[in-house]
Amino acid sequence: MNKVRLFSTPICPYCMTLKRFLEENGFEVEPIDVSSNEEAQKEMVEKTQQTTVPVLEINGNWVVGFDRKKICELLNISD
Amino acid sequence: MEYDLIIIGGGPAGMTAGIYSARQKMKTLVIAKAFGGQMANKSVDIENYPGFEKISGFELIQKLEEQMRNKGVEVFNDEVVSLKKENDVFSVSTKSGKLFQSKTVIFATGAEPRKLSVPGEKEYVGRGVSYCTTCDGPLFNNKVVAIIGGGDAGFEAAIFLNNYAKKIYILEYGELIRAGKDNQDKALSSGKVKIITSAELKEIKGEVFVKSIIYKDKKINEEKSLEVDGVFVAAGYEPATHLLEGLVDLNDKKEAIVNFETLETKTSGLFVPGDANFGKVKQIVVACGEGATAVIHAYKYLN
């Protein structure tokens, strides 16, 4: 079972695109709003050393931005 | 698989082209990193799009995207890295290694934020330097930020960042602020904003994350430093046309030369609507209109 977490902000179109892509491939994710969840923001920034969204955590692997190739590899999506 | 039409770009021109191509029953693929284009970075409401007294960029993007997708347009979210035409067939390659082919192309990549070209900018992208206020602004809660550019985009960014940052510097290269009075009043009402004119950004410095910026105060010809956690770039836009070189004539601003009746370029079957062309009126509604025009002429080209 894949564990997927999406870190986003409320009006980030890139985050929405990534969410839709995951849903279309059968992965339902509830975005974590890092603007209101300080703990999640801290974790995201510490793990990625980045202050930008969207960020995905897939089974402990952190992906910054919509890196299609990497996300497909980590989730075994045939593209 | 060969498409009748590939639309590259997901801004207003690209999404409108998608809607029109579905209505023309053209076999279409839209390739875009994300939807919205410059609207995605619009941090205040849009008040001049017909049919809406005011609407946020985010909401308008969602409406356009839904309308396009509901018509059955195929979408591939990725960055296009090359565009070629051989034997009347266009080949479009993406960053993830996909290759798509089509008989016509609508190139609607619009414009992208102008880079500052100062030391530290590239190194700190995503680590304090941002080109998307609406995406990354909420990460700067209670932080000190600098906005580079004292035009309307810079002040609109400040209006948005007023919700999060504790202190905002706006650095303007010129002697005078270029933003409209209304945006200035809204930005300054929080009491958090400090405007610095005649400021030439020289460097962005930090360790893991941005810690300070160095700028030249041109009034006294002296370099000064400001401690900041974030740098939001609002220094205008430039056309995203580098993939067109060789296929399309570009002017000195790198805008595509098109026939404004059809939006077609010197390469037949290749159309450039919206902010990527050399039209002088850069507006959402104009980009939409040109997206529609381009599809109608792509359809004529195919038939």
Side-chain angles (χ1 to χ4, degrees), chain A residues 9 20 49 51-52 68 79, chain B residues 66 76-77 98 126 135 208:
Chain A
T9 53
R20 188 189 283 267
Q49 299 286 287
T51 51
T52 189
R68 188 177 181 107
D79 198 23
Chain B
E66 284 307 314
F76 191 82
N77 286 121
K98 286 275 175 190
C135 306
V208 176

Side-chain angles (χ1 to χ4, degrees), chain A residues 8-78:
Chain A
S8 70
T9 53
I11 56 164
C12 161
Y14 304 98
C15 306
M16 294 301 292
T17 300
L18 182 48
K19 182 175 184 283
R20 188 189 283 267
F21 174 76
L22 292 169
E23 284 169 355
E24 283 172 353
N25 285 284
F27 298 92
E28 289 294 327
V29 289
E30 194 53 49
I32 301 165
D33 177 6
V34 292
S35 70
S36 58
N37 185 337
E38 272 184 43
E39 208 173 298
Q41 183 184 140
K42 202 172 157 211
E43 182 191 2
M44 182 196 92
V45 173
E46 269 177 18
K47 293 286 186 187
T48 62
Q49 299 286 287
Q50 302 262 332
T51 51
T52 189
V53 286
V55 166
L56 269 185
E57 188 208 355
I58 304 169
N59 304 324
N61 296 289
W62 293 78
V63 184
V64 178
F66 189 172
D67 186 336
R68 188 177 181 107
K69 199 173 177 186
K70 198 168 174 185
I71 294 165
C72 288
E73 279 169 9
L74 288 170
L75 289 172
N76 282 323
I77 296 169
S78 63

